[in-house]
Amino acid sequence: YLSLPALEAGLDPRSTQFNNPGFGSAKRNSLVFNRTPANGEEGWYLTAYAEQLERTRGISTSAIQHTVGYDDRDIFGGRIAQNIVFGERASLTVGADIRRDRGDALRQIYVNRLPTANYINNQDLNLLTYGIFAQAQYRPVGSLKLLGGLRYDRFD
C-alpha cells in the first residue's frame, strides 16, 4: 500500500502511508477437480471448483481516511472443453465455462480509523458468469506457433 516512489526507493512494504497503516487479511478454502486426457493432447478437458473467500483490506487514501474492503463470498464454477488435433501441426479447442459468486462485497470509508456510514459500494452478490470459446493453433514451422480464438461472455 505504498506509493510507487516509496516502492522504488526500497521502503518496507509494511510501513505506513500518511501515518496510517495499511492492513489486510484473507482466508481462502478451495477444492478443485481436473480431468485431462490420459495420453496426448486430444480429448476432453474438465475443471470443476468451489472456493470460499473471506478477505479484509484497508487502503490508506489520505492523512485521515482509509477505504476498507470486505469480501465474504462463495465461488463455484467449471469448464469443459474438447481438443481436436489435426496431425502434428494444428488443433482446435472448443468449450464452455460457468462461474457463480454469492455473498457480500463492500468498500467502506473510515475516517480517523473509525467506520463511517459512507460506502463506495455495498453489494449483495449473486453473479452468474458464463461463456463459450474456440481457439485454433497452427504450427507452420517447428519453432513458430500461431494462435487465434473467439470468446463470448455473459454476466448476469
Side-chain angles (χ1 to χ4, degrees):
Y1 306 106
L2 293 175
S3 64
L4 181 57
L7 285 173
E8 290 171 339
L11 297 178
D12 184 348
R14 293 168 292 185
S15 65
T16 61
Q17 187 181 58
F18 304 111
N19 204 30
N20 277 328
F23 61 89
S25 64
K27 181 174 84 173
R28 294 185 109 110
N29 299 306
S30 300
L31 178 64
V32 179
F33 170 80
N34 282 307
R35 189 255 184 231
T36 61
N39 297 310
E41 295 182 14
E42 187 166 32
W44 287 99
Y45 291 76
L46 173 69
T47 299
Y49 60 89
E51 178 177 41
Q52 181 185 24
L53 168 66
E54 293 179 30
R55 173 178 57 193
T56 302
R57 182 171 65 176
I59 303 168
S60 180
T61 56
S62 75
I64 62 166
Q65 183 172 300
H66 270 92
T67 299
V68 177
Y70 174 73
D71 291 286
D72 182 7
R73 64 178 88 177
D74 297 320
I75 303 166
F76 305 96
R79 170 181 279 197
I80 188 166
Q82 169 75 41
N83 189 39
I84 305 161
V85 176
F86 303 97
E88 295 290 319
R89 295 186 175 255
S91 69
L92 174 66
T93 302
V94 294
D97 50 28
I98 189 167
R99 173 178 162 156
R100 173 167 298 279
D101 287 45
R102 296 197 73 163
D104 296 313
L106 62 90
R107 305 295 176 264
Q108 186 175 15
I109 303 296
Y110 277 53
V111 174
N112 293 321
R113 301 181 187 171
L114 297 173
T116 70
N118 297 325
Y119 291 82
I120 294 171
N121 67 305
N122 189 352
Q123 301 169 334
D124 178 16
L125 291 176
N126 187 4
L127 175 65
L128 180 64
T129 307
Y130 48 94
I132 57 173
F133 59 91
Q135 176 180 301
Q137 298 183 37
Y138 177 67
R139 183 179 311 173
V141 294
S143 61
L144 177 66
K145 186 185 286 186
L146 303 174
L147 296 167
L150 298 170
R151 182 171 179 90
Y152 172 80
D153 285 302
R154 173 118 180 143
F155 303 94
D156 291 329

